[in-house]
Amino acid sequence: TLRRLDDLPGAARSLDKAVALDPSRGGAKKALAEVRLALGQKEQAVDAYRAAIDALPPDAALHAALGSVLADLERHDAAADAFEKAVALSPIDPALLSQLGFASLAAGRAERAYDALDQSVGFDPRVARAHHGLGAASEALGKLGTAVKAYAKAVDLAPEQGESWLALGRAHRAVEHDAEAETALARAVSLLPDNDASHAAHGAVLHALGKFGGAERAYARALELEPDSADHYLGKGRAEMGQEKHEQARQSLRQATRIRPEDKEAQLLLGRACVELRMNDEALAALNKSVQLDPQAAAPHATLAQLYLATAQTDRAVGEFKTASELDPNDEPTLRAYAALLTELARHAEA
């Protein structure tokens, strides 16, 4: 009666007394768990559900309820264990299998998640969320083709779900289906206009397709939504470099390195932008930082060689070209530039 009158604190007190008077009353323990949950007292609800499980006959729904509360508390391993017990009691329930799959995925148990979600969609192929989860589990296992198919099924069943379009676009990108990725991510952006991740993912695929202006606009929108993202500034800087907008790129990449100074790619691209702008001191600082962050990368040394050539520091240019060619003997542009420099130096020596 107290629960029906929405006197939840009173209900909790009454049920506590009932359980104290007769600890064998499993029904009261279950009701207490539900009241605790309704009051937002999730930790107490966990204890009450466990007490109810111990007192009552095996009940898949009780284990599932416990698992849901544990998932809300981000106690992912315990949640997955609870859903395992629910599924053991009701092994062909697609909803329970789906919950087990998502909980297992959150707990880092990708193999179990895949198995559970695969069974779930097998028993009931009409649930978009289960297909989305199967896609996520497939990605975690490196089954990228399966992930594409699962996300495609999810958007077919629920075309209004922007998160599934976003996941489908990213999965297409992972298998280098860039045209398909662009289509999916454009849809994601239309459904998730205030989601910076959707704009950034769209920017990435546009860049891969050589559509640098569109990529720049996509990253600019992502930055309006999340102005402190080094990744968004880096993407925008890449797109601006692709259009030879070197000053704009410099500004974007300076922001990226301000937010994340240990980003070797941002430092490298900043150095390249500054080389193009003949801002030699700033270029040198950024390129040296990139080398410091990744001494085995050839690209910073090759760019330093170009900088030293531009400033008539020939001996240093030779040294950087030599290092770059040793680190990456398959970099044809660098090898050609190095060979041309050595040929020119030999010609001068003969003269």
Side-chain angles (χ1 to χ4, degrees):
T1 301
L2 288 168
R3 289 172 68 195
R4 286 196 297 271
L5 292 173
D6 290 330
D7 181 8
L8 294 176
R13 288 192 296 271
S14 295
L15 290 165
D16 271 328
K17 290 178 182 177
V19 169
L21 289 170
D22 185 356
S24 67
R25 293 181 63 180
K29 292 178 179 180
K30 178 183 176 183
L32 179 59
E34 293 168 351
V35 170
R36 293 291 186 200
L37 186 58
L39 287 167
Q41 300 170 350
K42 293 181 180 179
E43 289 289 355
Q44 295 95 320
V46 166
D47 294 337
Y49 273 122
R50 285 178 169 155
I53 286 168
D54 290 339
L56 291 168
D59 184 345
L62 269 179
H63 287 285
L66 173 60
S68 295
V69 181
L70 290 166
D72 286 345
L73 292 168
E74 298 185 358
R75 293 164 60 179
H76 299 303
D77 284 304
D81 291 342
F83 284 120
E84 286 283 11
K85 291 175 182 177
V87 167
L89 293 166
S90 185
I92 60 171
D93 184 323
L96 290 179
L97 285 162
S98 178
Q99 288 177 295
L100 171 58
F102 279 101
S104 297
L105 197 57
R109 306 175 189 179
E111 290 273 7
R112 185 62 180 119
Y114 180 90
D115 291 342
L117 288 158
D118 190 45
Q119 290 180 66
S120 178
V121 300
F123 287 125
D124 186 356
R126 301 166 299 173
V127 182
R129 185 171 184 271
H131 287 282
H132 183 111
L134 181 59
S138 300
E139 279 191 283
L141 293 171
K143 299 179 178 182
L144 300 178
T146 303
V148 168
K149 292 177 183 176
Y151 289 132
K153 185 63 176 176
V155 300
D156 182 53
L157 290 166
E160 75 288 354
Q161 291 299 316
E163 291 292 348
S164 292
W165 283 106
L166 176 56
L168 175 61
R170 286 171 167 166
H172 274 306
R173 277 283 291 130
V175 293
E176 299 181 352
H177 295 167
D178 289 337
E180 294 88 344
E182 182 185 8
T183 299
L185 291 166
R187 186 66 180 275
V189 165
S190 71
L191 292 166
L192 302 168
D194 297 325
N195 182 315
D196 67 294
S198 66
H199 291 281
H202 194 212
V205 72
L206 288 170
H207 190 281
L209 290 166
K211 299 178 180 181
F212 301 125
E216 180 188 356
R217 290 189 292 274
Y219 281 114
R221 176 59 180 151
L223 281 165
E224 290 175 6
L225 296 165
E226 181 49 71
D228 294 321
S229 170
D231 287 328
H232 299 346
Y233 277 114
L234 176 56
K236 185 169 179 282
R238 286 195 202 102
E240 289 159 342
M241 288 292 286
Q243 300 170 84
E244 298 185 358
K245 295 181 176 180
H246 297 123
E247 178 55 34
Q248 293 95 317
R250 172 176 168 265
Q251 295 300 327
S252 296
L253 294 162
R254 286 186 69 179
Q255 290 294 333
T257 58
R258 174 185 63 80
I259 296 167
R260 194 166 61 208
E262 305 306 305
D263 190 313
K264 61 186 179 183
E265 183 184 1
Q267 296 286 0
L268 171 61
L269 291 177
L270 176 58
R272 285 177 173 170
C274 291
V275 167
E276 295 293 339
L277 293 166
R278 299 182 181 179
M279 302 180 70
N280 298 329
D281 290 343
E282 188 173 342
L284 184 62
L287 292 168
N288 281 334
K289 181 67 172 179
S290 184
V291 169
Q292 176 189 339
L293 292 168
D294 188 359
Q296 299 305 308
H301 291 284
T303 309
L304 277 168
Q306 295 167 6
L307 173 62
Y308 288 136
L309 272 181
T311 54
Q313 299 180 67
T314 306
D315 290 345
R316 287 186 174 184
V318 169
E320 294 296 342
F321 272 133
K322 181 175 185 295
T323 300
S325 63
E326 290 171 350
L327 289 170
D328 185 359
N330 298 313
D331 183 350
E332 291 295 334
T334 296
L335 293 175
R336 285 196 298 270
Y338 186 24
L341 175 59
L342 293 177
T343 300
E344 183 68 17
L345 291 173
R347 186 179 296 115
H348 279 292
E350 290 173 1

